[in-house]
Structure formats: C-alpha cells, structure tokens
Amino acid sequence: MGNHSNLFIGVLSVVCAWVINKAAYFIGGIDNLVIGLVVFMGIDYATGLIYAGSIHDLASRKSLRGIRKKVGMLLLVAAGYWLDVVLGDQSSEVMRNLIIMMLVATEGISIVENLIKLGVDVPDVFKGMLETFDVKHVGEDKEAAKNGRRTHTGHRK
C-alpha cells in the first residue's frame, strides 16, 4: 500500500506544480507584488474566519463566497496583465501592478476591519483611514444605507 500512496503523492505533486505554473503564467508571473497579494488575501480570509467563529457564524456558503472573491481578484490581476500585453506594455506591467496594489490596499482595509471586530487594539491611524474612506458605505449612498433600502443596481437606497 505504501508504494501506491507514494505514487499518488508524486502524481498529485506534479499536477499541483503544473497548475501553479500555468496560473503564474496567466497572471504574469510570481513576483513580490503577487506574493504580497496572496499573503494579504490569506490574512484577510483567516481573520474573517476567526471573526465568524467568534460570533458562531461559520457557514460554508460564506466561506466559499470568500474564496470566490479571492479567485475573482486573481482573475482581475490576469486581466490587467493581459491588457498590458495587448497594449504592448508587457515589460512594465503597469495595469497589472496597479490592480495588485489596489487589491492589496483593499485587503488591508478588510484585515483592519476584521481585527477591529475581533476587539484587537488597532492603532488610531488605521481607524482614521477607515473613517476617511467611510468603509461601511463604500459604493452606497449614506442616507440609503441608514434606511436599508436598495436601488435597482443592488446598492442600498
């Protein structure tokens, strides 16, 4: 039985390496920006799970929704990279890098929100950042958000 499990692990390793290689090509390679994004995504996901567990609201659907969002973010990075390729600016990867930096910032904000919800003493500079961006109402009309109504676009109104 040991030989079969070693064979399975070997095949699985080769398949995983192939998938990671193709994914890396698709998003323009693995560099420090991509590594940073993946780290921020992991921390955001972990802090979200910890918070959900703390309020006894762990749900597989919510967890899968989080994973879908992370996959969507990586697809957005890929779109930026291929836009750079199409525009002939593959060497500088301007769109890809801007998208990654925007996503890292977004994940950072989400991490800070999760930590605040968990009762972690977050430095005032981060709290001020959240107030500056009014994160609770991003993409929403403040008055509509207070009243809990939604517009035809899905936003509260």
Side-chain angles (χ1 to χ4, degrees), residues 46-59 118:
T47 56
L49 285 177
I50 293 167
Y51 174 68
S54 74
I55 62 169
H56 307 289
D57 191 26
L58 280 173
L118 286 167

Side-chain angles (χ1 to χ4, degrees), residues 5-44:
S5 63
N6 287 341
L7 177 64
F8 176 75
I9 290 172
V11 170
L12 184 62
S13 297
V14 169
V15 169
C16 286
W18 182 84
V19 168
I20 290 169
N21 178 274
K22 295 307 172 193
Y25 170 76
F26 193 60
I27 63 172
I30 305 293
D31 58 6
N32 286 338
L33 281 174
V34 171
I35 292 168
L37 175 61
V38 171
V39 167
F40 271 65
M41 290 167 67
I43 293 170
D44 179 49

